[in-house]
């Protein structure tokens, strides 16, 4: 999947391509949680079939509103083929990550991605981490991500460490 990463320099640093960022967040939702449950009244934890793909305008002053492809085109943020590419690429990343996480006993609840242009090529230009995706333990449904902080569940660092432990080959 074309992305902005050039090289991983060490455990904390990467060399990346400087992209012209598109002011959108593309969210793929596999399970209802967070703002989706709040906005639409879908019960927290309900599996979504089909998966839900959302575009949000990155504008904190306007509370990052939900927008659709016609808004994106009318605002000149991206052409329709670019919007479709972002949607399809986000779904592909979601499917790859979801499959991997299932193998280590983790549910991928949702995933947020950003895209940017580098020499006219559209690239994924974002990290995937417990700050940009929701990860739950597959057995207990306990959050292993930033929701531990947001929902004042405590031990946010423990959740991140558990996720890292599993990704590095430890038992779930």
């Amino acid at each position: 999947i074309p992305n902005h990463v050039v090289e991983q320099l060490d455990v904390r640093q990467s060399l990346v391509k400087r992209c012209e960022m598109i002011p959108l967040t593309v969210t793929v939702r596999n399970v209802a949680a967070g703002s989706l449950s709040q906005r639409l009244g879908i019960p927290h934890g309900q599996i979504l079939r089909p998966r839900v793909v959302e575009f949000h305008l990155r504008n904190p002053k306007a509370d990052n509103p939900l927008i659709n492809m016609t808004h994106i085109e009318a605002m000149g943020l991206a052409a329709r083929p670019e919007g479709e590419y972002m949607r399809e690429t986000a779904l592909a990343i979601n499917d790859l990550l979801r499959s991997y996480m299932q193998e280590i006993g983790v549910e991928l609840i949702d995933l947020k991605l950003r895209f940017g242009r580098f020499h006219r090529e559209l690239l994924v230009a974002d990290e995937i981490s417990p700050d940009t995706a929701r990860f739950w333990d597959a057995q207990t449904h306990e959050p292993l991500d930033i929701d531990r902080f947001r929902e004042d569940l405590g031990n946010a660092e423990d959740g991140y460490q558990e996720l890292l432990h599993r990704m590095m080959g430890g038992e779930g």
Side-chain angles (χ1 to χ4, degrees):
I1 296 173
N3 63 76
H4 71 313
V5 177
V6 175
E7 179 183 359
Q8 185 73 38
L9 300 174
D10 58 37
V11 295
R12 295 182 188 264
Q13 298 181 78
S14 299
L15 181 63
V16 298
K17 298 171 186 170
R18 183 183 297 265
C19 294
E20 174 195 338
M21 298 303 291
I22 298 171
L24 298 171
T25 300
V26 183
T27 305
V28 180
R29 298 180 182 273
N30 301 301
V31 177
S35 64
L36 182 76
S37 292
Q38 294 166 356
R39 271 185 311 176
L40 302 179
I42 299 172
H44 183 84
Q46 180 176 317
I47 295 172
L48 300 170
R49 288 193 180 94
R51 299 160 296 177
V52 173
V53 178
E54 297 175 331
F55 290 92
H56 288 265
L57 178 64
R58 291 194 48 96
N59 182 343
K61 290 180 182 178
D63 201 24
N64 300 317
L66 181 66
I67 62 174
N68 63 38
M69 194 60 226
T70 56
H71 294 121
I72 293 166
E73 287 179 292
M75 295 171 73
L77 302 176
R80 183 165 295 272
E82 290 178 313
E84 288 301 317
Y85 176 82
M86 287 186 275
R87 179 184 179 283
E88 293 304 317
T89 301
L91 285 167
I93 292 169
N94 178 77
D95 292 347
L96 287 168
L97 186 57
R98 195 168 171 206
S99 176
Y100 170 72
M101 289 304 194
Q102 284 175 343
E103 292 176 14
I104 61 171
V106 175
E107 291 177 280
L108 175 62
I109 303 308
D110 56 38
L111 168 69
K112 294 180 181 182
L113 292 170
R114 304 251 350 256
F115 290 81
R117 294 183 186 92
F118 182 76
H119 297 264
R120 297 188 186 128
E121 182 182 12
L122 200 54
L123 304 175
V124 175
D126 202 358
E127 68 174 357
I128 298 173
S129 76
D131 289 345
T132 62
R134 281 191 175 89
F135 299 104
W136 293 353
D137 178 272
Q139 298 299 315
T140 66
H141 307 292
E142 177 183 350
L144 301 171
D145 54 48
I146 195 143
D147 278 351
R148 298 194 64 73
F149 173 76
R150 282 187 196 126
E151 297 173 14
D152 200 23
L153 300 174
N155 300 320
E157 185 177 342
D158 290 348
Y160 282 48
Q161 289 294 330
E162 174 62 21
L163 186 59
L164 177 63
H165 174 72
R166 291 185 194 191
M167 292 177 75
M168 299 303 287
E171 293 293 316

